[in-house]
Amino acid sequence: MKTWVPAVAVWGRTAPSHSITAMMVTDDQHTIVTGSQEGQICLWDLSSDLKISSKEILFGHSASVTCLAKARE
């Protein structure tokens, strides 16, 4: 049984820098994934009317994220 644990990031009045270096759209076209020069990965919701809103930001890489790929289940 797989357990889903959502990542949560909390910051002050301004979000951290996110200079996009890689981008991927999921197969269902509801989520955009971006990698940054600062080493973060961000998930963005993409609505049917093409509005984008932030979903999650993942920290932990010590170098730039220059490539994104999806994995098989």
Side-chain angles (χ1 to χ4, degrees):
M1 179 173 155
K2 293 182 181 178
T3 303
W4 175 256
V5 179
V8 177
V10 181
W11 52 79
R13 293 180 181 213
T14 56
S17 297
H18 188 71
S19 305
I20 295 173
T21 53
M23 188 169 101
M24 181 183 78
V25 179
T26 58
D27 290 338
D28 64 6
Q29 298 182 353
H30 290 260
T31 304
I32 296 173
V33 183
T34 58
S36 77
Q37 185 175 351
E38 295 80 16
Q40 305 141 356
I41 295 176
C42 288
L43 304 178
W44 308 84
D45 281 326
L46 179 60
S47 68
S48 58
D49 58 346
L50 302 179
K51 292 187 179 177
I52 299 171
S53 58
S54 60
K55 185 176 181 180
E56 295 180 52
I57 187 168
L58 310 171
F59 297 92
H61 288 86
S62 58
S64 296
V65 177
T66 58
C67 181
L68 296 167
K70 60 184 176 181
R72 297 182 193 184
E73 289 188 25

